[in-house]
């Protein structure tokens, strides 16, 4: 849908402010709502050239056209236009909230009081919690238009975005490939213009690998910056709430709404007394003198890795040409496969957390992990995780769990020492050593997300380029570059990512 700005309406003073800040597109040019930014949508509403109802109508039409083939959504908000009209009336009274009528998609493991929260499971298909998750509550307070609930890898356990309720979400650049995940539905919704922003969760790879595969920006904040209250949990140690946007600025704007102390989630005590670690509209950073450590060990060596390696190497070359100092790190300790085995505690923490969540749902048809597993109605991709999660009677008291927690602390100290000694602003690596896989291949290949997730560090995945095109992927499939920063240095990391984004210019929408 194209909005024509050439017609004239009285422009309120607030619109002049938006234009003066450089966040409104030029007058007289049609705007494509599939790719419009948060700032553009706000400016158009202020100027009187776009209504909230028109935004909602566009979103519904876009979902009707695109979602049946991609399966990004499990549930679409049936009251979208009704809620848009209420926001429009508020706007007419002069109010403009930070995300006023910005379409936001919600991963279906966040509680929503007006839409089912299923985790993708057919066993929870009719569950509608009585309260919103903390993140959803903040989005509503910011004026967001909640589009619907997105598909995920069931209970966010695995990484291919397949669930018994939502089916298999497909890659919008090549529908014969995985959309990755587990937050793949959210990432695909943003990539295809079914939503401007989306929230998701990540335990190991779920935000950043989904962003990598969908050609969007995904931000994993420092552990403890965003409340996880009201989210179906996997791991106290590793779970975070983050989000997606088509640009670093949009993803950062979303995160700025979500950050904050929540007494229901003790981990958020980490932000108490701190200045906001997120910048809402990051401008191009001064990249001269910035230092990035390139983890060469996290790049593949085989012929199947060369397409990703070529994109990554080209991105690093552009960064160097822009004045970034590149420090090559060849350290065998950065081994994703070995580190996944030695740092991932989610198998141990899942069962008690999940059963506590089920207990918070008074009408839940299942009460225990055994109740969930016994009917066998979950995707085969979950089998290994569930087998491990169910075999321990008291997982948090096991020697193995304490060993893994000790490994995390040791690796965290080592990584902090490395970054401090080499004065690094970020560590860089491909999020996935291979491009998004075909559906006929085994999912979850050689992913590098374990380090940020186990250590609790912030990380941003942004588009770096595309693989060569072929018949199934006319413009190729996206390849992202992952940047991992120091804990609580999220603002600096986001600023660096914004500067790199403007150098790489790799944002390219799928042709749908």
């Amino acid at each position: 849908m194209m909005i024509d700005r050439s017609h004239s309406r009285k422009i309120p003073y607030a619109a002049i402010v938006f234009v003066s800040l450089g966040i409104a597109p030029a007058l007289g040019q049609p705007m494509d709502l599939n790719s419009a930014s948060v700032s553009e949508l706000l400016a158009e509403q202020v100027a009187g050239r776009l209504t909230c109802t028109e935004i909602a109508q566009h979103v519904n039409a876009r979902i009707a056209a695109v979602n049946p083939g991609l399966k990004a959504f499990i549930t679409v908000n049936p009251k979208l236009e009704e809620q848009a009209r209420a926001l429009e009336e508020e706007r007419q009274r002069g109010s403009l909230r930070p995300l006023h009528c910005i379409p936001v998609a919600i991963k279906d493991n966040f509680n929503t009081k007006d839409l089912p929260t299923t985790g993708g499971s057919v066993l929870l298909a009719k569950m509608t919690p009585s309260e919103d998750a903390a993140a959803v509550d903040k989005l509503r307070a910011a004026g967001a238009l909640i589009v619907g609930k997105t598909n995920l890898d069931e209970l966010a356990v695995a990484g291919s975005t397949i669930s018994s309720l939502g089916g298999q979400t497909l890659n919008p650049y090549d529908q014969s490939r995985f959309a990755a995940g587990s937050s793949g539905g959210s990432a695909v919704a943003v990539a295809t213009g079914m939503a401007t922003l989306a929230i998701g969760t990540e335990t190991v790879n779920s935000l950043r690998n989904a962003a990598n595969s969908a050609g969007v920006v995904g931000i994993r904040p420092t552990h403890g910056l965003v409340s996880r209250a009201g989210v179906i949990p996997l791991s106290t140690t590793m779970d975070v709430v983050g989000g997606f946007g088509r640009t670093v600025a949009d993803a950062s704007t979303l995160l700025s709404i979500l950050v904050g102390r929540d007494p229901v989630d003790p981990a958020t005590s980490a932000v108490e007394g701190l200045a906001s670690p997120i910048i809402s509209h990051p401008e191009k950073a001064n990249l001269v003198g910035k230092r990035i450590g390139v983890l060469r060990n996290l790049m593949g060596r085989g012929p199947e890795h060369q397409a990703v390696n070529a994109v990554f190497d080209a991105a690093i070359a552009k960064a160097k040409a822009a004045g970034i100092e590149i420090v090559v790190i060849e350290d065998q300790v950065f081994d994703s496969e070995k580190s996944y085995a030695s740092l991932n505690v989610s198998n141990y923490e899942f069962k008690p957390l999940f059963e506590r969540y089920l207990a918070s749902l008074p009408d839940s048809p299942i009460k225990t992990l055994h109740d969930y597993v016994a009917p066998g109605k979950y995707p085969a991709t979950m089998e290994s995780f569930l087998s491990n999660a169910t075999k321990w009677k008291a997982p948090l008291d096991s020697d193995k769990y304490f060993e893994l927690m000790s490994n995390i602390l040791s690796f965290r100290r080592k990584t902090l020492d490395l970054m401090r000694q080499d004065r690094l602003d970020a560590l860089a690596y491909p999020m996935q050593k291979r491009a998004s896989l075909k559906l006929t291949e085994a999912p979850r290949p050689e992913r590098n997300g374990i380090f940020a997730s186990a250590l609790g560090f912030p990380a941003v995945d942004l588009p770096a380029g595309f693989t060569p095109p072929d018949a199934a992927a006319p413009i190729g499939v996206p390849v992202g570059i992952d940047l991992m920063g120091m804990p609580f240095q999220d603002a600096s990391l986001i600023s660096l990512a914004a500067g790199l984004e403007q150098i790489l210019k790799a944002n390219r929408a799928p042709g749908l």
Side-chain angles (χ1 to χ4, degrees):
M1 178 178 177
M2 307 293 283
I3 298 296
D4 188 351
R5 295 190 182 78
S6 59
H7 63 285
S8 175
R9 295 185 192 174
K10 184 177 180 180
I11 300 177
Y13 170 76
I16 300 173
V17 176
F18 276 110
V19 174
S20 70
L21 291 174
I23 60 176
L27 297 177
Q29 296 179 0
M31 179 174 64
D32 183 359
L33 290 182
N34 294 333
S35 60
S37 68
V38 171
S39 57
E40 288 173 337
L41 290 173
L42 291 175
E44 289 298 284
Q45 290 180 77
V46 169
R49 293 186 292 267
L50 180 65
T51 69
C52 193
T53 301
E54 288 173 331
I55 293 173
Q57 289 171 342
H58 167 77
V59 166
N60 273 333
R62 184 65 174 161
I63 291 174
V66 176
N67 190 63
L70 297 178
K71 297 182 179 178
F73 283 91
I74 291 177
T75 303
V76 178
N77 183 359
K79 296 184 178 180
L80 191 68
E81 293 187 30
E82 176 184 330
Q83 292 170 5
R85 285 192 293 272
L87 285 166
E88 181 61 29
E89 290 173 4
E90 182 181 315
R91 170 72 203 100
Q92 293 301 322
R93 294 193 296 269
S95 176
L96 187 78
R97 290 188 268 175
L99 293 180
H100 204 92
C101 210
I102 302 301
V104 182
I106 310 294
K107 186 176 179 180
D108 201 7
N109 58 347
F110 287 80
N111 284 354
T112 44
K113 61 187 178 184
D114 56 351
L115 296 170
T117 298
T118 73
S121 171
V122 294
L123 300 177
L124 296 173
K126 297 181 180 180
M127 288 306 307
T128 301
S130 59
E131 296 181 350
D132 285 330
V136 175
D137 189 55
K138 287 194 170 191
L139 290 172
R140 292 194 203 273
L145 188 63
I146 306 302
V147 174
K149 307 295 287 291
T150 55
N151 197 24
L152 66 163
D153 215 283
E154 190 157 323
L155 303 184
V157 159
S160 53
T161 308
I162 183 171
S163 68
S164 59
L165 189 59
Q168 174 72 69
T169 300
L170 302 178
N171 191 307
Y173 293 86
D174 178 353
Q175 294 182 38
S176 68
R177 296 177 186 263
F178 286 102
S182 65
S183 300
S186 289
V188 169
V190 171
T192 56
M194 291 187 280
T196 304
L197 304 171
I199 57 172
T201 58
E202 180 173 287
T203 304
V204 182
N205 302 287
S206 301
L207 286 162
R208 292 167 293 143
N209 202 54
N212 171 86
S213 296
V216 297
V217 176
I219 301 180
R220 176 192 176 95
T222 298
H223 184 270
L225 287 191
V226 179
S227 175
R228 301 161 300 179
V231 178
I232 300 175
L234 263 77
S235 167
T236 300
T237 301
M238 300 172 68
D239 285 353
V240 297
V241 167
F244 302 97
R246 285 184 284 273
T247 64
V248 174
D250 275 3
S252 181
T253 295
L254 172 62
L255 206 56
S256 71
I257 300 298
L258 303 178
V259 167
R261 176 81 169 94
D262 180 2
V264 181
D265 183 354
T268 60
S269 62
V271 302
E272 200 159 19
L274 293 180
S276 176
I278 307 299
I279 44 179
S280 296
H281 295 288
E283 297 179 359
K284 183 176 180 180
N286 178 10
L287 299 178
V288 176
K290 295 291 184 182
R291 291 170 63 84
I292 292 179
V294 174
L295 296 174
R296 283 289 170 191
N297 262 45
L298 299 186
M299 298 179 69
R301 301 284 194 261
E304 70 275 20
H305 304 121
Q306 294 314 303
V308 168
N309 289 353
V311 172
F312 182 81
D313 285 340
I316 294 301
K318 290 178 181 178
K320 187 174 182 179
I324 295 177
E325 297 178 26
I326 302 299
V327 180
V328 176
I329 298 171
E330 296 276 8
D331 191 332
Q332 298 297 318
V333 74
F334 289 100
D335 182 304
S336 292
E337 185 175 354
K338 291 180 180 177
S339 293
Y340 187 88
S342 65
L343 300 176
N344 185 7
V345 296
S346 60
N347 282 149
Y348 294 82
E349 295 181 341
F350 173 63
K351 180 180 178 180
L353 290 172
F354 183 53
E355 292 185 343
R356 189 183 309 158
Y357 173 80
L358 292 174
S360 74
L361 305 173
D363 299 323
S364 174
I366 57 174
K367 303 297 183 184
T368 67
L369 180 59
H370 178 267
D371 294 342
Y372 171 77
V373 172
K377 294 184 178 181
Y378 53 83
T381 51
M382 300 175 68
E383 189 65 50
S384 175
F385 180 92
L386 293 174
S387 176
N388 287 325
T390 55
K391 71 182 180 182
W392 296 291
K393 291 184 179 179
L396 301 186
D397 292 330
S398 70
D399 289 342
K400 183 62 176 178
Y401 178 68
F402 285 108
E403 177 188 333
L404 295 180
M405 292 298 288
S406 178
N407 291 343
I408 288 173
L409 291 174
S410 177
F411 207 104
R412 196 174 196 271
R413 285 194 295 268
K414 176 180 176 59
T415 306
L416 285 170
D417 287 345
L418 169 67
M419 296 185 74
R420 287 167 179 159
Q421 289 168 8
D422 286 342
R423 297 176 289 110
L424 299 176
D425 296 284
L427 293 169
Y429 44 89
M431 182 59 208
Q432 187 168 292
K433 295 178 184 178
R434 295 173 61 183
S436 301
L437 293 187
K438 296 284 187 179
L439 297 173
T440 53
E441 300 177 277
R444 305 179 68 192
E446 306 169 291
R447 295 177 176 178
N448 293 322
I450 184 63
F451 302 103
S453 57
L455 306 183
F457 288 10
V460 179
D461 196 85
L462 68 152
F466 284 76
T467 63
D470 58 33
I475 63 173
V477 294
V479 174
I481 182 171
D482 216 55
L483 299 174
M484 181 171 73
M486 297 277 276
F488 300 105
Q489 298 299 312
D490 300 60
S492 296
L493 181 68
I494 289 169
S495 181
L496 175 61
L500 194 57
E501 176 183 57
Q502 294 192 26
I503 294 167
L504 298 178
K505 293 180 171 60
N507 306 71
R508 195 184 310 168
L512 296 176

